[in-house]
Structure formats: C-alpha cells, structure tokens
C-alpha cells in the first residue's frame, strides 16, 4: 500500500497565510473563471468568508476596503473583477516606507525620559520666584526617582543637580543649594509601596 503524501514545501506559496490554503485555492479558482460576472459573484463570496475568518478587523476603519486589498494581493494583482475600491498596485505594496527620524530630543540621560526635558523647558518660561523654584525642586526630585528606578538604590543629590544643569543648558543652577532633595530610601519606599498595591489589585482581579 502506498500513500501519495503532499508536503507544504511542495505546495505553492500562500501570499497571506493567515487565511489558509483553502481561501487561496478559492482565489485561484476565481481567477480561472472565464466570465467576469462569475468572477464578480465569487469574489464577493470570498470577501464574505474572509470577513468571517477575521472578525477582529470589523472594528478597523475601511474594513471592507482592507479585505478587497488582501484579495488582490492573494491573486497577485491579476484578478479582473469590479472592485468597489481602487485596485492596489504591486509597486505600491513593494514600495519601501520612509525612514522614521530617530528622536533627537533624547539625551544621554535616557532614563529620565522625554517628559523631564519638557518639564524643564516649561520651567524655564516661568518668571523668577517661589513658584518657579518649587517647580524646579519638584522636577529634581522626580529626576532622582527616575534615576533610582533605572540605575541604583542610591545617588548623591549633586549628581542629579549636575544633570539638571546640563539638561537646562546651564540655565538652571541649583548645584549649590542648601536644601537637599528627598532621601533615596523614601523614594524607594514610595516605589515599593506602589508596586505592592499594583500586585494586590492584580491578584484581586484574578480571584474575581
């Protein structure tokens, strides 16, 4: 007794594997139909089946448009049917996307995040006075907390204030201030308490 086994490696390549080989065979059969009217009828039926196989796409804008584009891709852009949308081109699909510029705002102190730089820029626009000084002091404490989150369990205030001086292009100089920042152990304690509460809430939700 012999078995005629068919291996996937010997089968034609599926252009969109998510839909499976049977959908690809339906598309191929649709392309082989001689009558355009028959192709139109079958293409619409295939679109309906594709929609049922991808229910999560129903919330995507232009849901039907996406399905028709995928149909043309599976047909290698050779399916002659009356599509309700403009038929995409192979060149458009193969066109390389534009390169995204690397964020230049990120400094060598990436562990502070971009929001810190934004806060510093805002602080520089404030008038001199107690409010501005309080804001800068808050920013410095937040920088210290960020530093502890990503680097060590302790850091000297002088390091944070030096970084603040650099990030403000020398416009904020608190390096010689007498008042110290919040102690590292207190910032770590706050972080630890927050993590415990978060884990407790997760466990409660799991039990429910």
């Amino acid at each position: 007794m012999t078995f005629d086994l068919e291996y996937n490696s010997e089968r034609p390549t599926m252009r969109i594997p998510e839909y499976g080989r049977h959908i690809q065979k339906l598309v191929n059969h649709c392309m082989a139909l001689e009558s355009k009217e028959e192709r139109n009828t079958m293409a619409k039926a295939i679109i309906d089946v594709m929609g049922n196989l991808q229910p999560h796409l129903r919330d995507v804008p232009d849901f039907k448009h996406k399905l028709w584009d995928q149909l043309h891709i599976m047909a290698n852009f050779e399916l002659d049917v009356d599509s309700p949308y403009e038929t995409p081109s192979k060149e458009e699909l193969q066109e390389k996307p534009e390169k995204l510029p690397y964020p230049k705002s990120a400094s060598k102190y990436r562990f502070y995040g971009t929001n810190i730089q934004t806060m510093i820029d805002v602080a520089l626009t404030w008038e001199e006075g107690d409010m501005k000084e309080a804001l800068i002091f808050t920013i410095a404490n937040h920088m210290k907390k960020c530093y502890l989150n990503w680097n060590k369990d302790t850091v000297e205030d002088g390091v944070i204030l030096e970084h603040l001086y650099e990030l403000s292009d020398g416009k904020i100089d608190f390096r010689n201030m007498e008042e110290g920042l919040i102690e590292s152990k207190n910032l770590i304690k706050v972080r630890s308490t927050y993590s415990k509460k978060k884990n407790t809430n997760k466990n409660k939700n799991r039990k429910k």
Side-chain angles (χ1 to χ4, degrees):
M1 183 180 295
T2 59
F3 296 95
D4 187 13
L5 299 178
E6 185 179 12
Y7 295 94
N8 282 335
S9 58
E10 299 174 350
R11 294 175 175 177
T13 302
M14 291 188 294
R15 295 183 179 87
I16 304 182
E18 289 82 353
Y19 286 108
R21 192 166 298 278
H22 292 296
I23 293 294
Q24 184 64 58
K25 288 182 177 180
L26 288 174
V27 175
N28 295 341
H29 179 70
C30 183
M31 294 170 60
L33 295 174
E34 295 183 0
S35 169
K36 189 172 185 180
E37 184 178 353
E38 288 181 310
R39 290 197 300 272
N40 286 336
T41 301
M42 186 166 185
K44 292 178 182 177
I46 294 173
I47 289 293
D48 290 337
V49 176
M50 289 169 61
N52 291 332
L53 293 175
Q54 303 283 357
H56 61 280
L57 293 179
R58 295 187 184 279
D59 296 330
V60 176
D62 297 329
F63 169 63
K64 286 286 187 180
H65 194 170
K66 184 179 181 70
L67 294 179
W68 276 96
D69 286 349
Q70 291 177 336
L71 176 63
H72 286 292
I73 291 172
M74 286 190 286
N76 198 27
F77 306 94
E78 297 173 0
L79 180 60
D80 182 18
V81 292
D82 296 325
S83 172
Y85 307 97
E86 184 178 353
T87 304
S89 64
K90 183 182 295 187
E91 292 74 18
E92 183 181 357
L93 179 67
Q94 295 175 345
E95 184 179 353
K96 293 183 178 180
E98 296 181 3
K99 290 185 177 180
L100 292 174
Y102 198 78
K104 296 181 180 180
S105 59
S107 68
K108 61 182 179 181
Y109 306 122
R110 298 179 185 276
F111 44 83
Y112 290 131
T114 55
N115 287 337
I116 285 292
Q117 187 63 59
T118 302
M119 293 167 68
I120 292 173
D121 294 339
V122 170
L124 291 173
T125 64
W126 284 28
E127 295 182 2
E128 297 296 332
D130 293 340
M131 292 291 290
K132 181 176 181 178
E133 186 174 335
L135 175 59
I136 294 172
F137 189 74
T138 301
I139 293 172
N141 278 313
H142 190 62
M143 288 173 62
K144 186 173 182 178
K145 183 178 179 181
C146 292
Y147 189 100
L148 294 171
N149 282 338
W150 296 102
N151 288 275
K152 303 177 181 179
D153 289 335
T154 182
V155 60
E156 296 293 332
D157 290 353
V159 174
I160 302 299
L161 298 177
E162 185 66 37
H163 291 173
L164 178 60
Y165 180 78
E166 289 184 39
L167 293 174
S168 65
D169 294 327
K171 296 175 183 177
I172 297 178
D173 190 359
F174 274 35
R175 293 176 295 177
N176 297 321
M177 73 173 187
E178 296 180 359
E179 185 179 359
L181 300 175
I182 298 175
E183 292 186 20
S184 298
K185 62 180 182 180
N186 292 331
L187 289 173
I188 294 173
K189 185 177 180 181
V190 171
R191 179 183 65 187
S192 205
T193 303
Y194 173 76
S195 298
K196 286 180 180 178
K197 286 183 177 179
K198 193 173 182 181
N199 291 331
T200 302
N201 291 334
K202 282 184 177 180
N203 292 331
K204 287 182 179 178
N205 291 332
R206 288 173 182 173
K207 289 179 181 179
K208 289 180 180 179

